[in-house]
Amino acid sequence: MSRTDEKTNWLNKTEMAAWISFIETIGDLQYSLDSDLRESCDMTSGDYQVLVYLSESLDRRTRMCDLAARLNLTPSGLTRRLDGLVKEGSVTREVSTKDRRVQLAVLTPQGHRKLVTAAPLHVASVRHRFIDRLTTEQMKHLTAAFTSIREGLSE
Amino acid sequence: MSRTDEKTNWLNKTEMAAWISFIETIGDLQYSLDSDLRESCDMTSGDYQVLVYLSESLDRRTRMCDLAARLNLTPSGLTRRLDGLVKEGSVTREVSTKDRRVQLAVLTPQGHRKLVTAAPLHVASVRHRFIDRLTTEQMKHLTAAFTSIREGLSE
DNA sequence: TCACAATAGTTGCGAACGCAACTAAATTAG
DNA sequence: CTAATTTAGTTGCGTTCGCAACTATTGTGA
């Protein structure tokens, strides 16, 4: 590829190092975290996220559209993800009494137990793969950096 | 979720901030970069990675297994990804003369032109979404942090 | 009030990709 | 040299999820 193009602002060494270290790492990290959760709890990160969000919601239930927005899923993607959780008994669907268009996803006691079992294992995994590799200073730098990136994305 | 469990080492405030800022950002960032590339060049990040790797390879060709390892794809995943690139004319398959088990993925002139067109646009996107949001110091901190994480993962 | 628009969710279809099973070729053991 | 093993790649099948089309319900403007 030509590096003589006068208009293109190619990445310099520092920029390239940052980009490569980031992009090469996140795939492996997500894969490791997913594998840990699947092996220890037989669940996916996606399902875990659903259970966490429901457990933190009022009455342990949420509108589908709120859940979809929170998880960056399309309506159809969320419908399918919930299908799996309903089938295994972690979640039930309920029609809202206030707006009969909305389906509420409700965390069942069984789903809550599953989350209570999974959470410590998942936290241990996050620690092992991510937190333990960083100093407190690095965590603070990283928080600032990603907050800045995130703000840029939502413009 | 109970926070009174004595055995679980829950994340403290700094740790949680780092983890949340990271995990909430990477999905949006990848989505934005993918969208940019799709809109400007009608291609996916995955296809772009293939073209980059081939363009950097000797004679612009690589063994499928080497490519799969580099891209963290299974053999079947790579076969399908190449199918698309072959169909659009960016890549051809060639049987190796040294080992007739191996298929070589070969970058075509058309594929190379596509990459030459896409690269400046992709770099601009990476700059806009990622590099420009960080100071030089932040980039160096980030490189150190992710290198450390990556080393941990490969143990 | 009554048509029209906006919102919530589901379904059919298709794309991407992993797993397991398979073929073919090369390597190794006896 | 033959048989067993290993390696490279493809294919069938299943899973996940996005897009577009659809239904049902609610909100809105004349």
Side-chain angles (χ1 to χ4, degrees), chain A residues 63-65 75-76 79-80 93 101 103:
Chain A
R63 295 151 44 103
M64 291 287 279
C65 54
S76 71
T79 293
R80 269 65 173 262
R93 284 185 231 255
R101 289 172 301 183
Q103 295 277 334

Side-chain angles (χ1 to χ4, degrees), chain A residues 43-120:
Chain A
M43 76 194 299
T44 65
S45 296
D47 287 350
Y48 182 81
Q49 288 178 330
V50 171
L51 299 190
V52 168
Y53 187 64
L54 289 179
S55 80
E56 292 171 347
S57 300
L58 190 65
D59 294 329
R60 290 181 183 163
R61 66 197 63 207
T62 326
R63 295 151 44 103
M64 291 287 279
C65 54
D66 295 338
L67 196 49
R70 185 66 177 71
L71 304 180
N72 286 323
L73 280 181
T74 60
S76 71
L78 181 59
T79 293
R80 269 65 173 262
R81 187 176 291 178
L82 242 76
D83 287 345
L85 288 164
V86 167
K87 191 181 295 181
E88 71 169 39
S90 294
V91 173
T92 54
R93 284 185 231 255
E94 237 177 57
V95 177
S96 166
T97 54
K98 310 198 170 182
D99 185 339
R100 283 183 304 172
R101 289 172 301 183
V102 325
Q103 295 277 334
L104 300 171
V106 185
L107 187 64
T108 63
Q110 181 183 330
H112 187 256
R113 283 195 297 276
K114 184 160 189 177
L115 177 59
V116 167
T117 302

Side-chain angles (χ1 to χ4, degrees), chain B residues 63-66 75-76 79-80 93 101-103:
Chain B
R63 295 151 45 102
M64 292 287 280
C65 56
D66 294 339
S76 73
T79 292
R80 268 68 172 260
R93 283 185 231 255
R101 287 172 304 182
V102 324
Q103 295 277 335

Side-chain angles (χ1 to χ4, degrees), chain B residues 31-115:
Chain B
Y31 178 81
S32 297
L33 293 166
D34 258 27
S35 299
D36 289 346
L37 201 50
R38 192 176 299 275
E39 284 165 25
S40 64
C41 309
D42 190 33
M43 78 195 294
T44 65
S45 297
D47 287 350
Y48 182 81
Q49 288 179 330
V50 172
L51 300 189
V52 168
Y53 188 64
L54 289 180
S55 80
E56 292 172 347
S57 299
L58 190 65
D59 295 328
R60 289 180 184 166
R61 67 198 61 209
T62 327
R63 295 151 45 102
M64 292 287 280
C65 56
D66 294 339
L67 196 50
R70 185 66 178 69
L71 304 179
N72 284 325
L73 281 180
T74 60
S76 73
L78 180 58
T79 292
R80 268 68 172 260
R81 186 177 290 180
L82 242 76
D83 286 345
L85 288 164
V86 168
K87 191 182 296 178
E88 73 170 38
S90 295
V91 174
T92 54
R93 283 185 231 255
E94 237 177 58
V95 177
S96 166
T97 53
K98 310 198 170 181
D99 184 338
R100 284 183 304 173
R101 287 172 304 182
V102 324
Q103 295 277 335
L104 299 171
V106 184
L107 187 65
T108 63
Q110 181 182 332
H112 187 256
R113 283 194 298 276
K114 183 160 189 179
L115 177 59

Side-chain angles (χ1 to χ4, degrees), chain A:
Chain A
M1 226 174 318
S2 169
R3 303 282 150 180
T4 60
D5 185 313
E6 290 177 19
K7 301 221 183 106
T8 299
N9 192 4
W10 299 104
L11 302 190
N12 67 29
K13 197 169 172 181
T14 303
E15 291 164 346
M16 186 63 89
W19 174 243
I20 295 294
S21 73
F22 170 72
I23 203 69
E24 302 259 279
T25 301
I26 59 173
D28 293 350
L29 179 55
Q30 287 179 308
Y31 178 82
S32 296
L33 293 166
D34 258 28
S35 298
D36 288 347
L37 201 50
R38 193 176 298 276
E39 283 166 24
S40 65
C41 308
D42 190 32
M43 76 194 299
T44 65
S45 296
D47 287 350
Y48 182 81
Q49 288 178 330
V50 171
L51 299 190
V52 168
Y53 187 64
L54 289 179
S55 80
E56 292 171 347
S57 300
L58 190 65
D59 294 329
R60 290 181 183 163
R61 66 197 63 207
T62 326
R63 295 151 44 103
M64 291 287 279
C65 54
D66 295 338
L67 196 49
R70 185 66 177 71
L71 304 180
N72 286 323
L73 280 181
T74 60
S76 71
L78 181 59
T79 293
R80 269 65 173 262
R81 187 176 291 178
L82 242 76
D83 287 345
L85 288 164
V86 167
K87 191 181 295 181
E88 71 169 39
S90 294
V91 173
T92 54
R93 284 185 231 255
E94 237 177 57
V95 177
S96 166
T97 54
K98 310 198 170 182
D99 185 339
R100 283 183 304 172
R101 289 172 301 183
V102 325
Q103 295 277 334
L104 300 171
V106 185
L107 187 64
T108 63
Q110 181 183 330
H112 187 256
R113 283 195 297 276
K114 184 160 189 177
L115 177 59
V116 167
T117 302
L121 296 166
H122 180 61
V123 170
S125 170
V126 169
R127 244 183 212 297
H128 177 58
R129 307 290 193 183
F130 185 78
I131 299 289
D132 286 353
R133 308 293 164 178
L134 305 173
T135 65
T136 299
E137 281 310 299
Q138 282 181 314
M139 286 188 243
K140 289 179 179 169
H141 289 313
L142 192 144
T143 301
F146 279 95
T147 300
S148 172
I149 291 168
R150 191 170 170 68
E151 284 169 4
L153 292 176
S154 57
E155 278 171 7

